[in-house]
Amino acid sequence: MIEAVEKLAEMLEHENVEWEIFYQFGRSGSFKIERETLERSQRKFYSGIGLRVGLNGRLGFSYITGLHPREENLERLVKRALKLAKISEVPFRGFPVRRRVPQVEGIYDREIDEIPFEEAHSLALQYAELMREKKGKETLSGSLSFAVGTSGVVNSNGIELEERSTYMGVSAYAVISEPPGTGSYRQSFTSLQPVEELERAVEGAVDEARLSASAEKLEPYSGELVLETEAVASVMDVFMSNLYGDEVYHGRSRFSKPGEAIGNFTLVDDSTLPALPGSYSFDGEGTPGQRTVLVEDGVVRNFLLDHTYASFLDMESTGNALRTFRSVPYIGTSNVVIEPGGESLEDYEGVIVRKVFGEHTANPVSGDFSLTVELGYVVKNGELKPFKDNMLVGNVFELLRKMEVGKDTRRVLSFLSPRILIEGRLV
Amino acid sequence: MEWLVKRAEELAEKHGIEYYEVRLVRVTSTRLSMSNGQLRELSSDSELGIGARAFNGAWGFSSANDRERFEKAIETAMKIAKLSRGSARIYTGNPVKDEVELKVKKPFTEVDVEEKLSLVKEIDGLLAGDGIVSRNAYYGDSIVETLYFNSLGSEIRTVVPRVRFGFSVTAKESGEMQNFWKSFGGTLGWELIEKTDLNFWTAHVREKALELLRAGSPPSGEMDVVADPELTGVFIHEALGHAVEADSVKNGDSILAGRLGERIAVDGLNVVDDPTLPGKFGSYPYDDEGIKAKRVEIIRDGVLVSYLNDRETAEYFGLEPNGHARAESYAHQPLVRMGNTYVEPGDWSFEEILEEVKNGLYMLGDKGGQVDTANGTFTFGAKIGYIVENGEIREPVRDVALSGKILNVLKNIRAIGKDTRVEFPGYCGKGQWVPVDDGGPHILTRALVGGLK
């Protein structure tokens, strides 16, 4: 165990409190390319320790940065957390107890951990070069980032866990000025990717920008249409907060308990999927990661829960306590998965929406949304006619009730879903 | 920290770095939140970190929050810059020595945490009422103390206090649910809380949430829209502000590239970004590149006259540096950002504006927005709206988002009110979050309304 954490645990053993230490340390390197030129490179270091204490049913929290605190700083940290526990009135519902934690495969890659900064930097130069090669009349920009981080949880119930994970992010962005068009590509990984991934990023952004530049606004349309994975992610974003345990508990969700039938699909949160950036073996409180079926064949089965809200709702934690050392746990998703259905939608002919934006302006409790279409196309006899700037309007609960899920799953960051078929409206 | 200033000089010499800048930042903050009478968060913390940049035709940046790594962060930034060897140039200018503390009437550091706790409790109590199923209140304050120094010999110390609080409710009736909320904030002290009429605003939030339950969905299609000062604020932030951030312009990512001096809006429209307005949430004395914050006229009488810039883009476009480089924290590199963005008053009264509308919508409040600066398309949401017929305000409508093309909407403004207000604090995201404020008067324009009817 890290020396400072060990010392802190020792100090806490002398106090008559329940306690939990959450610590993190890591570094990242990232590179920003603007107009096909590497413009900004950075290397960041971070570390810190967060402390929660439970005293007479009340919770106190405080943190320090760095992993080499002087003894008096650790003492002050304990004092501060205890003081806050005395005045805070934040209810304390205990900490998780020790359980077996199966290790999720493929979330640490030695290659990323050990890549010398100079080598990462030259990969970024190569990426910029690739952009210069592949560009037509587009202006290209993008980024590459690498990170390695360790987080650990130690508590008074005997939990003592530590995990290291790695990350690589790739993005590309293409702009055409006349007529205007934009295209983008974003993906994340847990292991070092070959140059082919960078090629895919540039080509993806360029292709999309060309479609976007030739896109025009579609005449208002109402009827059957297909959403691609990116658009599904935006629409699901409007819905997801209804499944957050804290929203349920505080009355800001459409649901107050599991059991309601809302459609004909299966939605899962799964932090145990191998080699995905949303995965982890244990959450920010030391609860093992798990596959949580949130909606099963259209029926709400569970909510996203941490230890505290699970206790309030008389349910079990689903291992969804996200965390940084600067904060108490908060509920969030790991990998969100819409399970494949039976519809074959890959060769669908008709109206297809690829990307929309503006989902944070929508209303999760009423479910109404109006999102701007960034790119879509009408496919007819294999011919593709792109469109943009319409608004996709509807109600997410109605959409879910009628949607049909395709067969072939695609992943965008931590969201996995096939295309879906909906009844929709474009204005 | 004088030793660090000296050490940076030595390191720059060693690595042959001409330009570098360092920010040492201490943030002290208190946060509280309460839901339905139950306290969810109470924290009070302080941290110190460093962000260092070095320039060698391209930027190298490094940050750390462990004191033992402070010196190393400076050296790392320099090593990265050496490795980079780009061909960009930056504005350097003369060194600046200054100390600025944004003064407040009643520092929140002199207010006990117990009193802050009573505030959220009081608000929680005031929010309770028939039909309200969920209540939320939050309070947060922070003091950001920055020591900025660079290789030119600049040494700037700033102290910026910032406070924000607000509340929301969820109303429910026969299966329908609706939210309403209100936030207050500024580079102010506890006086902001004392001058806020909590009785009035909590009642307002409750009534609006209940009113929304009975509101229908708006019509859809292109139509006349009257925006209230809050919605005008988000509109000008999204529709114009992001597209005049010079880094976007430089990267070919703005529809307003190459249009300086061009008429892009109606006569009589004046838009300003001013981080020097006293007490506003987006105010700051110096930006994160050590440039004094300046009031910038973006649009003067319908003509695009300036971009918001940083050291690099000021040099690139040959513009006067105007101090709009802002970073979320010491661990972030500054980007070109807005401060307080607003539309200056025109000469229409609200009644005159309404009379102009035969069939349209009166839309109020900011529910967030987003823009695609390259395509010139934006979207934003309003908290509530009302149908307007023959100049009369009729029934309420809910969940409305608007969309438009930047260049069309700015030219379609038909009336600019005289009632400018800049008091709508929020956070703007561009990969990093920074506090901003925006506003304006009532305006009348045309936009695409995305209703369900």
Side-chain angles (χ1 to χ4, degrees):
Chain A
M1 211 190 305
I2 289 165
E3 201 188 326
V5 174
E6 207 165 331
K7 235 188 261 173
L8 184 58
E10 224 173 84
M11 281 177 192
L12 290 158
E13 288 299 339
H14 296 294
E15 304 283 342
N16 187 23
V17 291
E18 290 183 65
W19 54 266
E20 175 206 68
I21 301 165
F22 178 81
Y23 61 92
Q24 281 179 305
F25 58 93
R27 59 175 195 278
S28 65
S30 61
F31 306 90
K32 206 167 151 195
I33 296 162
E34 297 174 347
R35 296 177 308 149
E36 307 94 37
T37 308
L38 178 55
E39 290 263 356
R40 290 171 179 230
S41 309
Q42 62 181 26
R43 189 166 165 78
K44 299 189 196 181
F45 302 87
Y46 66 90
S47 55
I49 303 172
L51 171 65
R52 286 201 291 169
V53 296
L55 180 67
N56 304 326
R58 301 284 166 84
L59 183 81
F61 169 79
S62 193
Y63 74 87
I64 51 169
T65 55
L67 290 178
H68 307 93
R70 286 192 289 261
E71 182 126 356
E72 68 251 39
N73 288 347
L74 283 180
E75 279 162 10
R76 268 207 295 272
L77 173 68
V78 173
K79 231 184 244 167
R80 221 164 41 227
L82 286 173
K83 183 191 162 198
L84 289 175
K86 280 172 194 149
I87 58 173
S88 87
E89 302 178 22
V90 176
F92 172 62
R93 310 289 287 194
F95 296 121
V97 294
R98 204 166 155 162
R99 282 163 59 191
R100 202 178 70 84
V101 177
Q103 202 181 344
V104 177
E105 295 298 316
I107 55 180
Y108 170 77
D109 175 34
R110 185 174 293 273
E111 274 196 296
I112 290 184
D113 191 0
E114 291 177 357
I115 190 171
F117 186 80
E118 292 72 18
E119 215 169 283
H121 186 268
S122 64
L123 193 60
L125 287 174
Q126 205 180 330
Y127 190 27
E129 179 61 40
L130 196 67
M131 288 181 181
R132 284 193 290 275
E133 277 167 27
K134 296 208 182 270
K135 94 186 225 118
K137 56 178 183 169
E138 301 82 16
T139 304
L140 289 166
S141 43
S143 68
L144 264 191
S145 48
F146 304 92
V148 54
T150 301
S151 42
V153 187
V154 183
N155 76 15
S156 50
N157 291 339
I159 282 182
E160 198 182 314
L161 294 163
E162 188 178 282
E163 181 159 70
R164 193 186 307 188
S165 57
T166 48
Y167 171 88
M168 175 175 175
V170 179
S171 78
Y173 184 59
V175 185
I176 297 173
S177 58
E178 210 44 63
T182 57
S184 61
Y185 177 95
R186 240 169 13 128
Q187 196 54 287
S188 57
F189 307 92
T190 56
S191 62
L192 195 63
Q193 297 299 300
V195 177
E196 288 74 46
E197 171 56 24
L198 304 183
E199 284 172 0
R200 186 161 35 241
V202 176
E203 283 163 10
V206 167
D207 287 350
E208 202 174 282
R210 288 175 189 171
L211 282 174
S212 162
S214 62
E216 281 172 17
K217 198 163 152 186
L218 198 68
E219 285 301 309
Y221 169 85
S222 192
E224 191 178 82
L225 59 87
V226 160
L227 302 181
E228 291 194 9
T229 305
E230 280 100 335
V232 179
S234 299
V235 169
M236 286 308 285
D237 208 44
V238 180
F239 166 71
M240 283 307 289
S241 72
N242 288 288
L243 296 174
Y244 280 47
D246 48 349
E247 300 290 303
V248 173
Y249 176 72
H250 289 297
R252 277 193 311 270
S253 163
R254 289 286 277 226
F255 312 117
S256 54
K257 54 181 188 303
E260 198 169 319
I262 59 167
N264 184 33
F265 62 98
T266 295
L267 176 71
V268 172
D269 179 272
D270 193 348
S271 53
T272 68
L273 292 172
L276 286 189
S279 295
Y280 45 78
S281 302
F282 57 90
D283 75 355
E285 303 179 292
T287 301
Q290 66 175 43
R291 176 187 145 89
T292 306
V293 178
L294 297 165
V295 180
E296 186 178 25
D297 298 328
V299 179
V300 177
R301 292 291 181 208
N302 209 339
F303 300 123
L304 295 160
L305 296 163
D306 64 359
H307 182 83
T308 304
Y309 283 94
S311 147
F312 286 144
L313 290 168
D314 210 10
M315 295 171 78
E316 292 286 319
S317 171
T318 55
N320 285 93
L322 303 192
R323 191 85 190 257
T324 78
F325 68 85
R326 285 189 181 84
S327 74
V328 296
Y330 56 93
I331 292 174
T333 56
S334 62
N335 301 296
V336 176
V337 184
I338 295 181
E339 299 274 298
E343 293 291 313
S344 178
L345 298 174
E346 290 310 299
D347 302 318
Y348 180 81
E349 297 232 324
V351 179
I352 300 177
V353 175
R354 181 187 278 196
K355 285 183 180 173
V356 293
F357 68 82
E359 54 268 28
H360 61 284
T361 68
N363 181 341
V365 294
S366 75
D368 288 353
F369 62 82
S370 9
L371 307 168
T372 302
V373 176
E374 204 174 321
L375 184 63
Y377 17 73
V378 182
V379 183
K380 211 166 153 187
N381 304 324
E383 297 261 324
L384 202 138
K385 188 172 154 265
F387 65 91
K388 64 181 178 188
D389 297 344
N390 294 79
M391 289 182 104
L392 173 71
V393 300
N395 180 285
V396 76
F397 297 104
E398 256 169 59
L399 181 150
L400 292 177
R401 208 163 18 246
K402 295 181 197 151
M403 80 178 188
E404 305 280 344
V405 183
K407 283 179 178 163
D408 303 294
T409 294
R410 272 195 56 222
R411 173 175 77 92
V412 181
L413 308 176
S414 297
F415 181 74
L416 293 87
S417 167
R419 289 177 162 199
I420 63 169
L421 180 70
I422 62 164
E423 285 292 315
R425 219 176 126 202
L426 294 165
V427 300
Chain B
M1 284 295 164
E2 283 308 311
W3 69 272
L4 202 63
V5 178
K6 222 177 187 70
R7 190 70 192 118
E9 248 173 68
E10 292 163 12
L11 287 169
E13 186 141 342
K14 178 177 154 196
H15 294 288
I17 287 293
E18 267 178 48
Y19 183 83
Y20 63 83
E21 56 187 21
V22 176
R23 280 177 295 136
L24 264 173
V25 184
R26 175 171 289 288
V27 184
T28 307
S29 62
T30 299
R31 288 196 306 262
L32 292 98
S33 69
M34 180 171 269
S35 291
N36 302 330
Q38 182 173 316
L39 198 64
R40 299 181 71 168
E41 184 186 13
L42 188 160
S43 66
S44 178
D45 289 286
S46 180
E47 73 171 86
L48 177 69
I50 192 171
R53 291 214 294 179
F55 187 74
N56 184 32
W59 289 104
F61 174 82
S62 185
S63 68
N65 58 16
D66 196 331
R67 272 167 191 260
E68 312 222 335
R69 276 196 175 273
F70 281 10
E71 189 182 322
K72 191 161 176 209
I74 297 177
E75 186 162 23
T76 302
M78 291 175 178
K79 283 185 179 165
I80 297 172
K82 275 320 259 192
L83 203 61
S84 300
R85 293 190 306 268
S87 56
R89 291 186 310 157
I90 53 167
Y91 168 86
T92 47
N94 296 321
V96 177
K97 302 245 186 210
D98 202 358
E99 279 186 38
V100 189
E101 179 172 355
L102 295 187
K103 290 279 182 236
V104 300
K105 287 206 182 82
K106 189 169 179 187
F108 40 73
T109 42
E110 289 168 19
V111 176
D112 299 339
V113 71
E114 283 85 351
E115 200 170 331
K116 295 169 186 173
L117 182 56
S118 325
L119 171 73
V120 293
K121 281 187 187 168
E122 183 190 348
I123 294 171
D124 178 77
L126 290 169
L127 290 173
D130 287 345
I132 302 299
V133 292
S134 189
R135 322 182 294 277
N136 285 284
Y138 70 88
Y139 168 90
D141 61 41
S142 70
I143 292 189
V144 180
E145 297 164 86
T146 306
L147 165 64
Y148 169 95
F149 62 89
N150 67 18
S151 50
L152 306 168
S154 287
E155 229 177 282
I156 304 165
R157 283 166 204 276
T158 54
V159 180
V160 178
R162 204 170 256 120
V163 61
R164 186 164 184 255
F165 75 102
F167 36 86
S168 68
V169 298
T170 304
K172 189 173 184 177
E173 194 180 77
S174 47
E176 289 287 334
M177 288 173 84
Q178 286 290 341
N179 297 326
F180 207 83
W181 63 98
K182 174 75 187 167
S183 308
F184 304 86
T187 42
L188 293 163
W190 191 253
E191 67 270 15
L192 172 69
I193 284 87
E194 289 175 342
K195 74 169 192 201
T196 302
D197 187 343
L198 293 177
N199 284 307
F200 171 81
W201 284 110
T202 49
H204 177 77
V205 161
R206 229 181 318 126
E207 283 158 18
K208 289 293 168 191
L210 292 167
E211 189 179 347
L212 277 170
L213 286 176
R214 291 180 285 279
S217 185
S220 61
E222 191 157 305
M223 63 190 74
D224 281 359
V225 172
V226 178
D228 82 327
E230 184 173 347
L231 189 62
T232 298
V234 65
F235 158 67
I236 213 67
H237 175 103
E238 296 298 340
L240 179 72
H242 281 294
V244 297
E245 290 167 342
D247 51 354
S248 296
V249 179
K250 177 187 145 221
N251 293 331
D253 192 18
S254 170
I255 193 128
L256 297 178
R259 291 183 192 263
L260 280 184
E262 205 172 290
R263 177 166 303 281
I264 61 163
V266 291
D267 293 349
L269 185 77
N270 299 306
V271 182
V272 170
D273 187 280
D274 189 358
T276 71
L277 288 178
K280 298 299 175 192
F281 199 60
S283 300
Y284 52 92
Y286 281 89
D287 77 358
D288 289 312
E289 292 185 330
I291 302 277
K292 206 175 176 75
K294 287 193 182 72
R295 176 182 191 273
V296 179
E297 289 188 343
I298 299 169
I299 292 181
R300 171 59 50 201
D301 204 13
V303 176
L304 179 67
V305 289
S306 191
Y307 299 133
L308 306 177
N309 63 39
D310 60 3
R311 284 185 186 270
E312 193 175 344
T313 52
E315 182 71 18
Y316 185 86
F317 288 107
L319 296 168
E320 178 90 0
N322 54 37
H324 279 75
R326 303 179 69 193
E328 179 178 320
S329 78
Y330 61 81
H332 294 85
Q333 294 195 60
L335 302 173
V336 181
R337 307 302 295 265
M338 287 172 255
N340 305 304
T341 319
Y342 61 95
V343 176
E344 291 196 319
D347 47 17
W348 290 65
S349 72
F350 177 52
E351 291 71 25
E352 288 166 345
I353 292 177
L354 274 186
E355 279 169 24
E356 280 290 298
V357 183
K358 294 274 165 294
N359 271 301
L361 286 177
Y362 175 35
M363 316 220 34
L364 300 89
D366 165 13
K367 218 160 97 177
Q370 202 169 335
V371 64
D372 175 346
T373 48
N375 272 313
T377 311
F378 64 85
T379 181
F380 52 80
K383 290 177 183 168
I384 191 168
Y386 296 89
I387 305 279
V388 180
E389 275 170 13
N390 299 320
E392 304 253 335
I393 295 178
R394 306 274 188 207
E395 67 273 21
V397 290
R398 65 178 199 214
D399 295 333
V400 215
L402 307 174
S403 175
K405 303 291 275 185
I406 295 173
L407 296 174
N408 297 346
V409 170
L410 289 173
K411 284 192 171 148
N412 281 339
I413 294 175
R414 298 215 312 273
I416 303 165
K418 48 186 165 191
D419 48 355
T420 290
R421 287 193 289 141
V422 188
E423 51 189 38
F424 308 105
Y427 287 88
C428 167
K430 181 175 165 181
Q432 298 179 24
W433 294 96
V434 296
V436 296
D437 211 329
D438 50 44
H442 281 91
I443 59 169
L444 168 60
T445 186
R446 275 184 89 74
L448 177 63
V449 175
L452 299 183
K453 265 189 200 157

